[in-house]
Amino acid sequence: RDDGPTPLPDEIIPSDVPAWWLVKKKNALYYSGEGRGDFGKFLLSSALLTMNDSTDAAEVNRHMPDVLSYINSLEAPAYPGSIDPGMAARGKVIFAGSCGGCHGSYGSNETYPNKLVHTSVIGTDPWLARSNFNDTTVSRWFNNSWFSQGPNPAWLQPFDGYLAPPLDGIWATAPYLHNGSVPALEMMIDSRLRPVYWKRGFGKNTYDIKAMAIRFDKRDKPGGKRVYDTTLKGYGNSGHTFGDQLTPDERKVLLEYLKTL
């Protein structure tokens, strides 16, 4: 039944695109872990606006196994700078005790728990997860559509929280958090360093490999569409404060270890 066009939302909730090379470790897509089942159908659904009819959809769907095979072949890039082996070894111990329970282990015997963490625990901006958890319009439509049918179904299972992601190649994935609100990796393990307002560069050489950060300027107040304002709904940079309890030396060696992932 056609009830007319759906009105535009009052606000836009941001989402930072995660690295493609992480897909093969996940058993669910999207930051809240709501995309279950056949990942190919989720890729297909994102292209619906480019299709004229079901014939087009069937043709695109025929290529999805190949697309997924390519995505699953991608590997995280190795850190191109220098790494202190002794510091990294010490950082690995810190990681195992403070981070591994959610983000897994790395090396010859890798593990990844695919752990969903409730917003009340992680404390990060809740509005991306809650946009579908509180309003099930999209998930109800999807779960009653062709996408959820057949031998390889896909379905949406909203969750009021976020998937703790694998950290392969984390040095290359700034800005951090699901909404891209944290410009530098150091700030992910020391929340006190996070700026309220900041502006990123959009020209050449805007990535700081040594700092594992995008280059940015801290601002004292909001202004202009390119200034990131963490006081806006959905743009918050709070939460994930687990590293705040570490000592400065522990955070330093932990950062060195993260370069190796």
Side-chain angles (χ1 to χ4, degrees):
R1 186 166 63 94
D2 186 2
D3 294 321
T6 301
L8 292 174
D10 294 329
E11 62 272 315
I12 302 299
I13 304 300
S15 175
D16 189 55
V17 180
W20 282 111
W21 60 75
L22 301 177
V23 170
K24 60 177 171 286
K25 283 193 169 184
K26 298 179 179 181
N27 62 17
L29 281 185
Y30 310 126
Y31 280 110
S32 62
E34 64 180 329
R36 309 298 180 90
D38 184 0
F39 286 6
K41 285 188 174 179
F42 289 112
L43 296 178
L44 175 64
S45 69
S46 67
L48 285 179
L49 293 178
T50 68
M51 303 174 196
N52 294 315
D53 51 32
S54 59
T55 301
D56 285 353
E59 176 62 19
V60 174
N61 189 52
R62 188 171 66 84
H63 296 286
M64 282 300 107
D66 295 330
V67 174
L68 281 174
S69 292
Y70 168 70
I71 291 173
N72 289 334
S73 74
L74 299 176
E75 297 292 340
Y79 183 73
S82 61
I83 300 175
D84 185 302
M87 290 177 62
R90 291 168 56 202
K92 184 176 182 179
V93 176
I94 301 297
F95 183 90
S98 300
C99 315
C102 289
H103 295 289
S105 61
Y106 300 80
S108 56
N109 296 304
E110 292 195 350
T111 62
Y112 175 60
N114 275 283
K115 187 173 183 177
L116 290 169
V117 185
H118 196 272
T119 52
S120 63
V121 176
I122 190 64
T124 50
D125 191 292
W127 292 108
L128 179 64
R130 290 179 182 172
S131 62
N132 283 334
F133 184 77
N134 292 339
D135 183 352
T136 60
T137 302
V138 173
S139 59
R140 283 188 289 109
W141 171 83
F142 191 93
N143 293 343
N144 285 287
S145 72
W146 167 85
F147 293 103
S148 65
Q149 309 301 317
N152 299 301
W155 66 96
L156 291 173
Q157 187 173 322
F159 175 69
D160 187 10
Y162 297 103
L163 179 68
L167 302 183
D168 307 76
I170 190 173
W171 69 268
T173 60
Y176 301 98
L177 289 184
H178 65 272
N179 55 9
S181 60
V182 178
L185 186 56
E186 180 185 20
M187 298 172 184
M188 285 301 299
I189 56 175
D190 189 348
S191 66
R192 294 159 292 195
L193 300 177
R194 300 172 192 173
V196 177
Y197 310 108
W198 56 277
K199 183 177 181 180
R200 65 179 296 174
F202 286 90
K204 295 181 179 180
N205 301 317
T206 58
Y207 206 88
D208 188 334
I209 293 174
K210 184 176 181 180
M212 296 175 281
I214 56 170
R215 300 188 191 279
F216 71 98
D217 294 319
K218 185 177 179 180
R219 298 300 176 96
D220 295 326
K221 58 183 179 180
K225 62 183 180 180
R226 290 190 175 181
V227 173
Y228 199 107
D229 181 353
T230 65
T231 68
L232 296 176
K233 181 179 179 180
Y235 290 73
N237 64 1
S238 61
H240 196 278
T241 58
F242 311 113
D244 291 1
Q245 62 187 333
L246 300 176
T247 67
D249 182 67
E250 288 173 331
R251 284 192 288 270
K252 185 176 181 179
V253 297
L254 176 57
L255 284 171
E256 199 70 10
Y257 172 67
L258 292 175
K259 295 176 182 178
T260 71
L261 303 186

